Amino acid sequence: MPAVNTSSLRPAVFILMGFPGIEHLQHWLSVPFTVLYITALVANSILILVVTLEKSLHSPMYLFLCMLAMVDIGLCTCTLPKVLEVLWLNKNISFEGCFIQMFFIYSFASLESSILVMMAYDRYIAIYNPLRYTTILSRTLIAKIFFSFLIRDVILTGLIPIFASRLPYCSTNVVPHCYCDHMAVAKLACANIIMNSYYGLAAAFSIAGFDFVLIIFSYIMIFRAVLKLGTKGARLKALNTCGSHLVVIMYFYISTIFNYVVYRFGNEIPVHVHNIFSVLCLLIPPVLNPIVYAVRTKEIRQAFQKHFLRRTIKPKINFH
């Protein structure tokens, strides 16, 4: 049998169209995207610095916040610079670069989900068994849990770009998106992609779906523990904190699952609407997380004032 010329099935580059249908507005869209990206970078970087500099914050809770901040920086950085380049300068991305970007986007998104699970477990231990908090959540256990999630996420999400890269792309190389989304690229293949679609959904629900169930279970246990607290003030404080966290968690999981489902079944939704939403899915959590998890935490606010504003925090003295 004659050898198959596989090079003809692999374009040298893909052309990212950005937001088809609203090309005249693409430059204006870059403004809010840039503001959100810079905000995410600055806020998460400051959070990491504050926790690193303040020794009193070297505990599991703040370690998880730092891990989340680093993942948030990675998630928006592997997406937004290329999106802005597409909107202003160059729409081309190499064949290999496209699937590398795809791998990092899905890997960081999966890691974000994993860390949210770890943070929910952290809050459960802190409320349910505060006296053994540091004993249970040792650095050894944290490392084991993190690397277990990391291996799961890398394997499950890593297969998505590998399978997609092996498809034959013998027709168009124009991607109707602003970054290398899995289904946006796979739909260009001149082959049946139903297995790619099913695997993408299976991976998404195996990671996001499983993690979401664990988080909901953790918060049910947290609420049960909160209701047993002695004073009304303590219960309200704990519920207020959990409520803020749940808003961010619900946004992350609902938007992620919606993004997966729409690309497979939402043919009536305009492409530019879905593209904008998919970018916001990757941008909003890195902006919200430092606000909800850090700004609302008194210890982090005080550490920020101490190290960046050079203010001395005076302890409150209660006279009885």
Side-chain angles (χ1 to χ4, degrees), residues 10-222:
R10 296 179 55 172
V13 297
F14 285 111
I15 301 172
L16 297 168
M17 292 301 295
F19 303 94
I22 55 169
E23 288 83 0
H24 59 292
L25 297 175
Q26 291 192 155
H27 290 169
W28 291 105
L29 281 174
S30 66
V31 176
F33 287 164
T34 301
V35 171
L36 288 172
Y37 179 50
I38 293 174
T39 302
L41 286 183
V42 172
N44 285 286
S45 297
I46 289 175
L47 173 59
I48 294 170
L49 281 173
V50 167
V51 174
T52 302
L53 292 172
E54 182 57 46
K55 292 183 179 180
S56 65
L57 300 182
H58 293 181
S59 64
M61 172 183 173
Y62 303 105
L63 174 60
F64 290 133
L65 285 177
C66 281
M67 292 164 64
L68 185 66
M70 287 187 282
V71 169
D72 280 336
I73 291 173
L75 181 61
C76 56
T77 298
C78 67
T79 311
L80 259 294
K82 188 59 188 179
V83 171
L84 296 176
E85 182 183 352
V86 167
L87 296 182
W88 282 99
L89 301 171
N90 177 28
K91 295 181 179 297
N92 292 352
I93 184 170
S94 68
F95 183 88
E96 293 79 9
C98 183
F99 294 106
I100 290 172
Q101 184 193 46
M102 190 184 298
F103 167 75
F104 279 110
I105 288 174
Y106 291 128
S107 294
F108 278 121
S110 300
L111 274 175
E112 174 126 353
S113 175
S114 301
I115 293 173
L116 289 176
V117 174
M118 296 169 70
M119 292 176 69
Y121 179 66
D122 167 81
R123 291 300 82 208
Y124 167 67
I125 297 299
I127 293 174
Y128 188 76
N129 201 344
L131 297 179
R132 297 188 59 215
Y133 173 68
T134 54
T135 304
I136 295 173
L137 283 176
S138 64
R139 294 196 174 187
T140 302
L141 178 63
I142 292 172
K144 288 179 179 178
I145 296 174
F146 174 75
F147 282 109
S148 297
F149 277 124
L150 179 64
I151 292 170
R152 179 201 66 172
D153 297 341
V154 169
I155 292 175
L156 290 179
T157 59
L159 291 175
I160 293 175
I162 290 174
F163 291 156
S165 66
R166 296 174 65 85
L167 291 170
Y169 296 94
C170 50
S171 54
T172 181
N173 66 335
V174 178
V175 182
H177 213 304
C178 50
Y179 65 85
C180 286
D181 180 85
H182 174 221
M183 290 306 297
V185 175
K187 285 182 177 180
L188 303 181
C190 45
N192 190 329
I193 63 167
I194 190 168
M195 293 306 298
N196 297 75
S197 178
Y198 283 159
Y199 179 77
L201 277 174
F205 282 99
S206 296
I207 296 173
F210 178 73
D211 290 352
F212 185 67
V213 170
L214 289 179
I215 288 174
I216 293 300
F217 176 76
S218 296
Y219 272 94
I220 289 173
M221 300 302 293
I222 287 171

Side-chain angles (χ1 to χ4, degrees), residues 284-304:
I284 297 298
V287 174
L288 280 182
N289 287 339
I291 297 173
V292 174
Y293 290 109
V295 174
R296 290 173 59 87
T297 304
K298 183 180 70 174
E299 291 78 9
I300 292 181
R301 293 199 307 269
Q302 291 179 345
F304 174 79

